[in-house]
Amino acid sequence: DTGVSQDPRHKITKRGQNVTFRCDPISEHNRLYWYRQTLGQGPEFLTYFQNEAQLEKSRLLSDRFSAERPKGSFSTLEIQRTEQGDSAMYLCASSFKGDLNYGYTFGSGTRLTVV
Amino acid sequence: AQSVTQLDSQVPVFEEAPVELRCNYSSSVSVYLFWYVQYPNQGLQLLLKYLSGSTLVKGINGFEAEFNKSQTSFHLRKPSVHISDTAEYFCAVSPEGYKLSFGAGTTVTVRA
């Protein structure tokens, strides 16, 4: 297992277009998290799944954002009608159970640039 | 609600010198505390964590941090830095035990 994988690593899109990112967690991890990191800031929590259930969504996750985790494996994050303010690094992380004592592994992120 | 303040946005330091990165948090409940490192164009890597027990926590790559409940601080230290320690460092808290709230980060630049 090579850790948490995110695809693509970079995405440039025009304002108004839809984009979709993928995250493949560590196979035995049942929790998956999405964070957003803007330039010069720390990551901010967006949402998380336990298996296939989306258990919490941040107020940062507007109705243009949707995340799924079918079958409790990989997850996708879609942004519809992208805006320049969506430009950021989108980080995925996974963990075994919800207890941070078990560790929390981040992927390398997808950097989105909206032009 | 909880917040994390990293008191220094940039810390330049010479190779083999010590470094301290300051982190203060505000929380009305007990928290878990973390330090992460982010190298350019990479994700975050856990340096160390405080969950309970000894207030002095040792992590990877020679880093350590001290939890001070009365001062609500969790400062990160390394006695002798290397060029390879050049990175951005994030302090984070987790009152709930599953999601993290991060500070704005401290950029450490190690010079020869």
Side-chain angles (χ1 to χ4, degrees):
Chain A
D1 194 346
T2 56
V4 178
S5 299
Q6 291 189 247
D7 184 70
R9 291 295 306 276
H10 303 275
K11 178 71 176 179
I12 301 175
T13 191
K14 292 183 178 180
R15 188 175 54 187
Q17 297 294 304
N18 298 345
V19 294
T20 301
F21 311 139
R22 177 179 170 124
C23 172
D24 287 89
I26 293 174
S27 57
E28 61 266 29
H29 285 184
N30 62 349
R31 284 209 173 184
L32 186 147
Y33 309 81
W34 286 98
Y35 284 77
R36 181 174 68 186
Q37 185 179 17
T38 53
L39 204 59
Q41 297 297 318
E44 297 172 292
F45 172 81
L46 292 178
T47 188
Y48 88 97
F49 294 82
Q50 177 159 303
N51 300 315
E52 67 275 10
Q54 188 174 18
L55 296 185
E56 186 173 339
K57 292 165 58 173
S58 162
R59 59 178 172 76
L60 296 174
L61 214 64
S62 75
D63 55 7
R64 295 186 298 107
F65 289 71
S66 62
E68 295 182 344
R69 193 183 182 197
K71 302 179 182 178
S73 56
F74 70 92
S75 175
T76 58
L77 179 66
E78 181 183 16
I79 309 175
Q80 296 182 329
R81 305 181 303 280
T82 52
E83 301 172 356
Q84 286 189 322
D86 297 331
S87 295
M89 174 79 87
Y90 290 84
L91 294 164
C92 176
S94 68
S95 70
F96 177 60
K97 299 184 180 181
D99 186 341
L100 287 166
N101 191 44
Y102 288 95
Y104 203 96
T105 304
F106 279 89
S108 297
T110 294
R111 183 169 295 283
L112 173 66
T113 303
V114 181
V115 297
Chain B
Q2 65 287 330
S3 66
V4 179
T5 302
Q6 292 185 239
L7 297 165
D8 308 290
S9 60
Q10 302 209 20
V11 174
V13 59
F14 286 106
E15 194 174 19
E16 297 183 9
V19 70
E20 178 180 77
L21 308 184
R22 298 178 293 166
C23 173
N24 286 93
Y25 68 93
S26 63
S27 176
S28 57
V29 297
S30 297
V31 296
Y32 298 144
L33 296 156
F34 305 82
W35 276 98
Y36 282 84
V37 61
Q38 186 175 35
Y39 299 103
N41 298 315
Q42 293 189 27
L44 286 85
Q45 180 182 5
L46 180 66
L47 281 176
L48 48 80
K49 60 189 176 190
Y50 172 79
L51 303 179
S52 64
S54 173
T55 57
L56 183 64
V57 180
K58 293 190 182 298
I60 62 171
N61 300 340
F63 284 94
E64 64 180 31
E66 186 155 20
F67 169 58
N68 188 317
K69 186 174 183 179
S70 62
Q71 296 187 2
T72 60
S73 67
F74 191 54
H75 301 333
L76 180 71
R77 302 183 184 95
K78 185 170 182 177
S80 176
V81 296
H82 303 288
I83 298 289
S84 59
D85 292 322
T86 294
E88 189 151 21
Y89 293 79
F90 292 96
C91 181
V93 302
S94 179
E96 307 93 343
Y98 64 92
K99 66 181 180 183
L100 298 166
S101 294
F102 288 88
T106 297
T107 301
V108 173
T109 304
V110 182
R111 302 168 180 170

